[in-house]
Amino acid sequence: MSLAREGTAATPPGDAQLTVRVEPDGTGGVVVVLVGEVDLDCATDVRDVLISALRSSPRVTVDLAAVTFCDCAVLNALLRARLEAMEAGGDRVLRFRIHGMSVQMARLLDLTDTRQYFPDTAGQDTAGPADDGLDGDGPGRAAATEGGVHDRP
């Protein structure tokens, strides 16, 4: 059974600096809470938990408020989970969303110009251009693809 279905906590072997919790949100969806440092060593585990949660729940909210470090490998895992939500149909913003974002996480999204793909539903800096960038078709925007993030001409 998947972690998302069991609602258990997972810490990758040998990595006491990360905790992943999957909790019911009270409305039929789940909240995936990441706490601590998330990097290349645990990116596959994080991606697997997110994909499993998306496949077993109508809505997945990712709480990134307690992330103290995040690298591009985990950003790619978030982008892949977002793609999975989009491919499954429905309202992609409500199906996979961010609620709560640490300063470190916000900085990574700003530096990689990917913040528009992850509007923070907690209301932290949700102001942005008229094109929300969710489909990656705005001029000069990065596009989320199977291979990660690529600049569009």
PDB file of all heavy atoms in Angstrom, residues 117-146:
ATOM      1  N   TYR A 117       4.076  28.544 -11.460  1.00  0.00           N
ATOM      2  CA  TYR A 117       3.500  27.207 -11.582  1.00  0.00           C
ATOM      3  C   TYR A 117       2.934  26.698 -10.265  1.00  0.00           C
ATOM      4  O   TYR A 117       2.216  25.707 -10.241  1.00  0.00           O
ATOM      5  CB  TYR A 117       4.546  26.203 -12.082  1.00  0.00           C
ATOM      6  CG  TYR A 117       5.069  26.544 -13.443  1.00  0.00           C
ATOM      7  CD1 TYR A 117       6.409  26.830 -13.629  1.00  0.00           C
ATOM      8  CD2 TYR A 117       4.217  26.605 -14.544  1.00  0.00           C
ATOM      9  CE1 TYR A 117       6.894  27.154 -14.885  1.00  0.00           C
ATOM     10  CE2 TYR A 117       4.697  26.932 -15.787  1.00  0.00           C
ATOM     11  CZ  TYR A 117       6.037  27.204 -15.957  1.00  0.00           C
ATOM     12  OH  TYR A 117       6.513  27.533 -17.191  1.00  0.00           O
ATOM     13  N   PHE A 118       3.314  27.350  -9.167  1.00  0.00           N
ATOM     14  CA  PHE A 118       2.916  26.903  -7.843  1.00  0.00           C
ATOM     15  C   PHE A 118       2.344  28.055  -7.026  1.00  0.00           C
ATOM     16  O   PHE A 118       2.960  28.504  -6.070  1.00  0.00           O
ATOM     17  CB  PHE A 118       4.117  26.302  -7.101  1.00  0.00           C
ATOM     18  CG  PHE A 118       4.766  25.164  -7.827  1.00  0.00           C
ATOM     19  CD1 PHE A 118       5.965  25.352  -8.486  1.00  0.00           C
ATOM     20  CD2 PHE A 118       4.174  23.919  -7.863  1.00  0.00           C
ATOM     21  CE1 PHE A 118       6.577  24.306  -9.158  1.00  0.00           C
ATOM     22  CE2 PHE A 118       4.764  22.868  -8.535  1.00  0.00           C
ATOM     23  CZ  PHE A 118       5.966  23.066  -9.183  1.00  0.00           C
ATOM     24  N   PRO A 119       1.160  28.532  -7.379  1.00  0.00           N
ATOM     25  CA  PRO A 119       0.586  29.605  -6.576  1.00  0.00           C
ATOM     26  C   PRO A 119       0.368  29.117  -5.148  1.00  0.00           C
ATOM     27  O   PRO A 119      -0.100  28.005  -4.928  1.00  0.00           O
ATOM     28  CB  PRO A 119      -0.738  29.922  -7.269  1.00  0.00           C
ATOM     29  CG  PRO A 119      -0.997  28.803  -8.205  1.00  0.00           C
ATOM     30  CD  PRO A 119       0.287  28.093  -8.445  1.00  0.00           C
ATOM     31  N   ASP A 120       0.780  29.923  -4.196  1.00  0.00           N
ATOM     32  CA  ASP A 120       0.662  29.572  -2.785  1.00  0.00           C
ATOM     33  C   ASP A 120      -0.738  29.906  -2.315  1.00  0.00           C
ATOM     34  O   ASP A 120      -1.107  31.065  -2.214  1.00  0.00           O
ATOM     35  CB  ASP A 120       1.714  30.339  -1.982  1.00  0.00           C
ATOM     36  CG  ASP A 120       1.744  29.950  -0.520  1.00  0.00           C
ATOM     37  OD1 ASP A 120       0.846  29.216  -0.074  1.00  0.00           O
ATOM     38  OD2 ASP A 120       2.670  30.398   0.169  1.00  0.00           O
ATOM     39  N   THR A 121      -1.527  28.906  -2.016  1.00  0.00           N
ATOM     40  CA  THR A 121      -2.909  29.134  -1.610  1.00  0.00           C
ATOM     41  C   THR A 121      -3.011  29.690  -0.201  1.00  0.00           C
ATOM     42  O   THR A 121      -4.090  30.051   0.236  1.00  0.00           O
ATOM     43  CB  THR A 121      -3.745  27.844  -1.713  1.00  0.00           C
ATOM     44  OG1 THR A 121      -3.171  26.855  -0.858  1.00  0.00           O
ATOM     45  CG2 THR A 121      -3.801  27.346  -3.141  1.00  0.00           C
ATOM     46  N   ALA A 122      -1.889  29.795   0.515  1.00  0.00           N
ATOM     47  CA  ALA A 122      -1.897  30.409   1.839  1.00  0.00           C
ATOM     48  C   ALA A 122      -1.937  31.924   1.718  1.00  0.00           C
ATOM     49  O   ALA A 122      -2.083  32.619   2.706  1.00  0.00           O
ATOM     50  CB  ALA A 122      -0.675  29.976   2.645  1.00  0.00           C
ATOM     51  N   GLY A 123      -1.789  32.437   0.470  1.00  0.00           N
ATOM     52  CA  GLY A 123      -1.880  33.872   0.241  1.00  0.00           C
ATOM     53  C   GLY A 123      -0.552  34.594   0.368  1.00  0.00           C
ATOM     54  O   GLY A 123      -0.515  35.799   0.312  1.00  0.00           O
ATOM     55  N   GLN A 124       0.543  33.878   0.542  1.00  0.00           N
ATOM     56  CA  GLN A 124       1.844  34.515   0.622  1.00  0.00           C
ATOM     57  C   GLN A 124       2.310  34.848  -0.779  1.00  0.00           C
ATOM     58  O   GLN A 124       2.689  33.968  -1.532  1.00  0.00           O
ATOM     59  CB  GLN A 124       2.861  33.596   1.291  1.00  0.00           C
ATOM     60  CG  GLN A 124       2.502  33.216   2.690  1.00  0.00           C
ATOM     61  CD  GLN A 124       3.441  32.169   3.246  1.00  0.00           C
ATOM     62  OE1 GLN A 124       4.242  31.577   2.532  1.00  0.00           O
ATOM     63  NE2 GLN A 124       3.343  31.933   4.522  1.00  0.00           N
ATOM     64  N   ASP A 125       2.241  36.110  -1.132  1.00  0.00           N
ATOM     65  CA  ASP A 125       2.727  36.578  -2.427  1.00  0.00           C
ATOM     66  C   ASP A 125       2.007  35.908  -3.586  1.00  0.00           C
ATOM     67  O   ASP A 125       2.615  35.323  -4.455  1.00  0.00           O
ATOM     68  CB  ASP A 125       4.237  36.365  -2.535  1.00  0.00           C
ATOM     69  CG  ASP A 125       4.811  37.125  -3.728  1.00  0.00           C
ATOM     70  OD1 ASP A 125       4.401  38.268  -3.961  1.00  0.00           O
ATOM     71  OD2 ASP A 125       5.642  36.541  -4.428  1.00  0.00           O
ATOM     72  N   THR A 126       0.677  35.991  -3.584  1.00  0.00           N
ATOM     73  CA  THR A 126      -0.066  35.411  -4.694  1.00  0.00           C
ATOM     74  C   THR A 126      -0.287  36.411  -5.817  1.00  0.00           C
ATOM     75  O   THR A 126      -0.804  36.061  -6.848  1.00  0.00           O
ATOM     76  CB  THR A 126      -1.441  34.882  -4.219  1.00  0.00           C
ATOM     77  OG1 THR A 126      -2.147  35.951  -3.579  1.00  0.00           O
ATOM     78  CG2 THR A 126      -1.276  33.706  -3.280  1.00  0.00           C
ATOM     79  N   ALA A 127       0.119  37.661  -5.610  1.00  0.00           N
ATOM     80  CA  ALA A 127      -0.025  38.644  -6.671  1.00  0.00           C
ATOM     81  C   ALA A 127       0.932  38.325  -7.799  1.00  0.00           C
ATOM     82  O   ALA A 127       2.039  37.872  -7.578  1.00  0.00           O
ATOM     83  CB  ALA A 127       0.276  40.047  -6.129  1.00  0.00           C
ATOM     84  N   GLY A 128       0.482  38.531  -9.007  1.00  0.00           N
ATOM     85  CA  GLY A 128       1.341  38.236 -10.141  1.00  0.00           C
ATOM     86  C   GLY A 128       0.752  38.798 -11.404  1.00  0.00           C
ATOM     87  O   GLY A 128      -0.257  39.494 -11.380  1.00  0.00           O
ATOM     88  N   PRO A 129       1.352  38.492 -12.550  1.00  0.00           N
ATOM     89  CA  PRO A 129       0.848  38.996 -13.813  1.00  0.00           C
ATOM     90  C   PRO A 129      -0.503  38.382 -14.146  1.00  0.00           C
ATOM     91  O   PRO A 129      -0.900  37.376 -13.578  1.00  0.00           O
ATOM     92  CB  PRO A 129       1.917  38.563 -14.822  1.00  0.00           C
ATOM     93  CG  PRO A 129       2.614  37.422 -14.181  1.00  0.00           C
ATOM     94  CD  PRO A 129       2.523  37.658 -12.703  1.00  0.00           C
ATOM     95  N   ALA A 130      -1.185  39.007 -15.090  1.00  0.00           N
ATOM     96  CA  ALA A 130      -2.502  38.523 -15.499  1.00  0.00           C
ATOM     97  C   ALA A 130      -2.444  37.083 -15.979  1.00  0.00           C
ATOM     98  O   ALA A 130      -3.320  36.288 -15.701  1.00  0.00           O
ATOM     99  CB  ALA A 130      -3.075  39.420 -16.594  1.00  0.00           C
ATOM    100  N   ASP A 131      -1.391  36.730 -16.712  1.00  0.00           N
ATOM    101  CA  ASP A 131      -1.200  35.342 -17.125  1.00  0.00           C
ATOM    102  C   ASP A 131      -0.607  34.609 -15.941  1.00  0.00           C
ATOM    103  O   ASP A 131       0.505  34.888 -15.517  1.00  0.00           O
ATOM    104  CB  ASP A 131      -0.234  35.273 -18.317  1.00  0.00           C
ATOM    105  CG  ASP A 131       0.050  33.838 -18.746  1.00  0.00           C
ATOM    106  OD1 ASP A 131      -0.473  32.894 -18.148  1.00  0.00           O
ATOM    107  OD2 ASP A 131       0.807  33.695 -19.704  1.00  0.00           O
ATOM    108  N   ASP A 132      -1.361  33.657 -15.373  1.00  0.00           N
ATOM    109  CA  ASP A 132      -0.887  32.978 -14.184  1.00  0.00           C
ATOM    110  C   ASP A 132       0.251  32.017 -14.474  1.00  0.00           C
ATOM    111  O   ASP A 132       0.826  31.462 -13.550  1.00  0.00           O
ATOM    112  CB  ASP A 132      -2.023  32.250 -13.465  1.00  0.00           C
ATOM    113  CG  ASP A 132      -2.592  31.088 -14.252  1.00  0.00           C
ATOM    114  OD1 ASP A 132      -2.098  30.767 -15.347  1.00  0.00           O
ATOM    115  OD2 ASP A 132      -3.548  30.495 -13.761  1.00  0.00           O
ATOM    116  N   GLY A 133       0.580  31.776 -15.726  1.00  0.00           N
ATOM    117  CA  GLY A 133       1.726  30.957 -16.082  1.00  0.00           C
ATOM    118  C   GLY A 133       1.519  29.468 -15.877  1.00  0.00           C
ATOM    119  O   GLY A 133       2.439  28.702 -16.058  1.00  0.00           O
ATOM    120  N   LEU A 134       0.330  29.060 -15.493  1.00  0.00           N
ATOM    121  CA  LEU A 134       0.121  27.652 -15.198  1.00  0.00           C
ATOM    122  C   LEU A 134       0.285  26.758 -16.408  1.00  0.00           C
ATOM    123  O   LEU A 134       0.636  25.605 -16.288  1.00  0.00           O
ATOM    124  CB  LEU A 134      -1.262  27.429 -14.578  1.00  0.00           C
ATOM    125  CG  LEU A 134      -1.411  28.003 -13.177  1.00  0.00           C
ATOM    126  CD1 LEU A 134      -2.844  27.873 -12.708  1.00  0.00           C
ATOM    127  CD2 LEU A 134      -0.470  27.307 -12.216  1.00  0.00           C
ATOM    128  N   ASP A 135       0.031  27.293 -17.596  1.00  0.00           N
ATOM    129  CA  ASP A 135       0.189  26.443 -18.771  1.00  0.00           C
ATOM    130  C   ASP A 135       1.515  26.686 -19.479  1.00  0.00           C
ATOM    131  O   ASP A 135       1.799  26.047 -20.479  1.00  0.00           O
ATOM    132  CB  ASP A 135      -0.978  26.643 -19.747  1.00  0.00           C
ATOM    133  CG  ASP A 135      -1.096  28.086 -20.206  1.00  0.00           C
ATOM    134  OD1 ASP A 135      -0.273  28.926 -19.821  1.00  0.00           O
ATOM    135  OD2 ASP A 135      -2.036  28.369 -20.955  1.00  0.00           O
ATOM    136  N   GLY A 136       2.331  27.603 -18.946  1.00  0.00           N
ATOM    137  CA  GLY A 136       3.665  27.815 -19.487  1.00  0.00           C
ATOM    138  C   GLY A 136       3.684  28.478 -20.852  1.00  0.00           C
ATOM    139  O   GLY A 136       4.686  28.453 -21.530  1.00  0.00           O
ATOM    140  N   ASP A 137       2.567  29.115 -21.252  1.00  0.00           N
ATOM    141  CA  ASP A 137       2.552  29.672 -22.600  1.00  0.00           C
ATOM    142  C   ASP A 137       2.805  31.171 -22.641  1.00  0.00           C
ATOM    143  O   ASP A 137       2.743  31.766 -23.693  1.00  0.00           O
ATOM    144  CB  ASP A 137       1.242  29.337 -23.318  1.00  0.00           C
ATOM    145  CG  ASP A 137       0.023  29.973 -22.666  1.00  0.00           C
ATOM    146  OD1 ASP A 137       0.178  30.643 -21.620  1.00  0.00           O
ATOM    147  OD2 ASP A 137      -1.074  29.783 -23.199  1.00  0.00           O
ATOM    148  N   GLY A 138       3.091  31.782 -21.506  1.00  0.00           N
ATOM    149  CA  GLY A 138       3.386  33.202 -21.505  1.00  0.00           C
ATOM    150  C   GLY A 138       4.749  33.455 -22.116  1.00  0.00           C
ATOM    151  O   GLY A 138       5.616  32.592 -22.120  1.00  0.00           O
ATOM    152  N   PRO A 139       4.977  34.667 -22.667  1.00  0.00           N
ATOM    153  CA  PRO A 139       6.261  34.967 -23.291  1.00  0.00           C
ATOM    154  C   PRO A 139       7.397  34.925 -22.286  1.00  0.00           C
ATOM    155  O   PRO A 139       7.289  35.461 -21.197  1.00  0.00           O
ATOM    156  CB  PRO A 139       6.065  36.383 -23.846  1.00  0.00           C
ATOM    157  CG  PRO A 139       4.924  36.946 -23.074  1.00  0.00           C
ATOM    158  CD  PRO A 139       4.074  35.794 -22.656  1.00  0.00           C
ATOM    159  N   GLY A 140       8.476  34.251 -22.659  1.00  0.00           N
ATOM    160  CA  GLY A 140       9.653  34.188 -21.817  1.00  0.00           C
ATOM    161  C   GLY A 140       9.488  33.347 -20.568  1.00  0.00           C
ATOM    162  O   GLY A 140      10.311  33.365 -19.690  1.00  0.00           O
ATOM    163  N   ARG A 141       8.400  32.633 -20.461  1.00  0.00           N
ATOM    164  CA  ARG A 141       8.153  31.811 -19.278  1.00  0.00           C
ATOM    165  C   ARG A 141       8.818  30.448 -19.432  1.00  0.00           C
ATOM    166  O   ARG A 141       8.984  29.944 -20.525  1.00  0.00           O
ATOM    167  CB  ARG A 141       6.661  31.601 -19.088  1.00  0.00           C
ATOM    168  CG  ARG A 141       5.897  32.877 -18.916  1.00  0.00           C
ATOM    169  CD  ARG A 141       5.096  32.773 -17.669  1.00  0.00           C
ATOM    170  NE  ARG A 141       4.213  33.899 -17.575  1.00  0.00           N
ATOM    171  CZ  ARG A 141       4.317  34.792 -16.617  1.00  0.00           C
ATOM    172  NH1 ARG A 141       5.243  34.692 -15.720  1.00  0.00           N
ATOM    173  NH2 ARG A 141       3.478  35.786 -16.556  1.00  0.00           N
ATOM    174  N   ALA A 142       9.139  29.852 -18.315  1.00  0.00           N
ATOM    175  CA  ALA A 142       9.664  28.494 -18.337  1.00  0.00           C
ATOM    176  C   ALA A 142       8.506  27.538 -18.540  1.00  0.00           C
ATOM    177  O   ALA A 142       7.401  27.780 -18.092  1.00  0.00           O
ATOM    178  CB  ALA A 142      10.378  28.184 -17.025  1.00  0.00           C
ATOM    179  N   ALA A 143       8.749  26.481 -19.242  1.00  0.00           N
ATOM    180  CA  ALA A 143       7.712  25.482 -19.495  1.00  0.00           C
ATOM    181  C   ALA A 143       8.065  24.191 -18.770  1.00  0.00           C
ATOM    182  O   ALA A 143       9.184  23.712 -18.870  1.00  0.00           O
ATOM    183  CB  ALA A 143       7.592  25.214 -20.989  1.00  0.00           C
ATOM    184  N   ALA A 144       7.104  23.642 -18.047  1.00  0.00           N
ATOM    185  CA  ALA A 144       7.318  22.355 -17.376  1.00  0.00           C
ATOM    186  C   ALA A 144       7.077  21.260 -18.401  1.00  0.00           C
ATOM    187  O   ALA A 144       6.051  21.217 -19.052  1.00  0.00           O
ATOM    188  CB  ALA A 144       6.348  22.210 -16.212  1.00  0.00           C
ATOM    189  N   THR A 145       8.072  20.405 -18.554  1.00  0.00           N
ATOM    190  CA  THR A 145       7.963  19.301 -19.497  1.00  0.00           C
ATOM    191  C   THR A 145       8.413  18.027 -18.820  1.00  0.00           C
ATOM    192  O   THR A 145       8.866  18.054 -17.678  1.00  0.00           O
ATOM    193  CB  THR A 145       8.854  19.549 -20.732  1.00  0.00           C
ATOM    194  OG1 THR A 145      10.213  19.545 -20.309  1.00  0.00           O
ATOM    195  CG2 THR A 145       8.516  20.851 -21.425  1.00  0.00           C
ATOM    196  N   GLU A 146       8.322  16.929 -19.513  1.00  0.00           N
ATOM    197  CA  GLU A 146       8.762  15.658 -18.953  1.00  0.00           C
ATOM    198  C   GLU A 146      10.208  15.727 -18.502  1.00  0.00           C
ATOM    199  O   GLU A 146      10.601  15.088 -17.558  1.00  0.00           O
ATOM    200  CB  GLU A 146       8.594  14.525 -19.985  1.00  0.00           C
ATOM    201  CG  GLU A 146       7.171  14.094 -20.161  1.00  0.00           C
ATOM    202  CD  GLU A 146       6.570  13.481 -18.903  1.00  0.00           C
ATOM    203  OE1 GLU A 146       7.257  12.719 -18.194  1.00  0.00           O
ATOM    204  OE2 GLU A 146       5.406  13.782 -18.624  1.00  0.00           O
TER     205      GLU A 146
END
